[in-house]
Amino acid sequence: MQLSTKYALVGMGALFALTIVDWTRSRAFELPKDLQWFLGVLPNLAAVVAISFVLMSIWIDRRPSEMIAVLRGRFALFVSFSALGLVLWEFLQRSSRSLVFDIGDLAATCLGVWIAWMLFSRITPKKGLDAGNREDH
């Protein structure tokens, strides 16, 4: 399976998680307070993963023979961009009357960065790629 496809699938999985969270939150379920809190911060976690992997899948699809070191650097850029955007958005909420600043969202964003890196490390081959953007092993 091409690496761009793997990255896209992870990104779509995170987008699916966002959809499920939105659907669940829009229902009048009586949920335990801890689960309500988790559903409140989960979008930040999933968004970091979704944005990073969708951008990575688009980028690598255009450069199928990039070296692994370049991939890591590019992913670092994408995950940093995602996290910075979410952190800035969270702080902008402090000046809003309708949005709520939540330190839990910042923690979830940090956890999302860690999860994104773990997924990237697991999916990305440790050695170079051939011209077809496939793993060597």
Side-chain angles (χ1 to χ4, degrees):
M1 180 183 302
Q2 288 191 351
L3 196 52
S4 61
T5 303
K6 289 181 181 182
Y7 291 153
L9 288 172
V10 172
M12 289 188 306
L15 290 171
F16 179 71
L18 285 169
T19 302
I20 293 299
V21 167
D22 185 57
W23 179 85
T24 303
R25 289 169 66 179
S26 70
R27 303 295 182 257
F29 295 132
E30 287 294 325
L31 299 172
K33 201 147 188 84
D34 290 343
L35 186 54
Q36 289 177 12
W37 178 84
F38 181 69
L39 290 175
V41 301
L42 188 58
N44 284 60
L45 186 154
V48 170
V49 176
I51 294 167
S52 301
F53 277 94
V54 168
L55 290 174
M56 194 67 182
S57 70
I58 293 167
W59 181 80
I60 196 169
D61 194 46
R62 298 172 190 266
R63 292 164 187 81
S65 61
E66 291 291 346
M67 294 174 47
I68 298 304
V70 174
L71 297 180
R72 287 189 182 96
R74 187 56 57 157
F75 190 76
L77 177 70
F78 291 150
V79 81
S80 298
F81 169 78
S82 303
L84 181 61
L86 288 165
V87 168
L88 289 174
W89 173 249
E90 197 61 38
F91 278 102
L92 284 174
Q93 292 180 29
R94 294 180 78 169
S95 62
S96 171
R97 292 183 179 167
S98 60
L99 301 173
V100 178
F101 173 83
D102 183 2
I103 195 78
D105 287 340
L106 295 175
T109 299
C110 292
L111 182 58
V113 167
W114 182 79
I115 289 171
W117 269 107
M118 293 301 105
L119 290 169
F120 176 78
S121 296
R122 177 77 174 107
I123 293 168
T124 305
K126 306 299 183 249
K127 297 180 182 180
L129 304 173
D130 66 14
N133 193 6
R134 297 182 188 276
E135 296 181 27
D136 284 337
H137 53 289

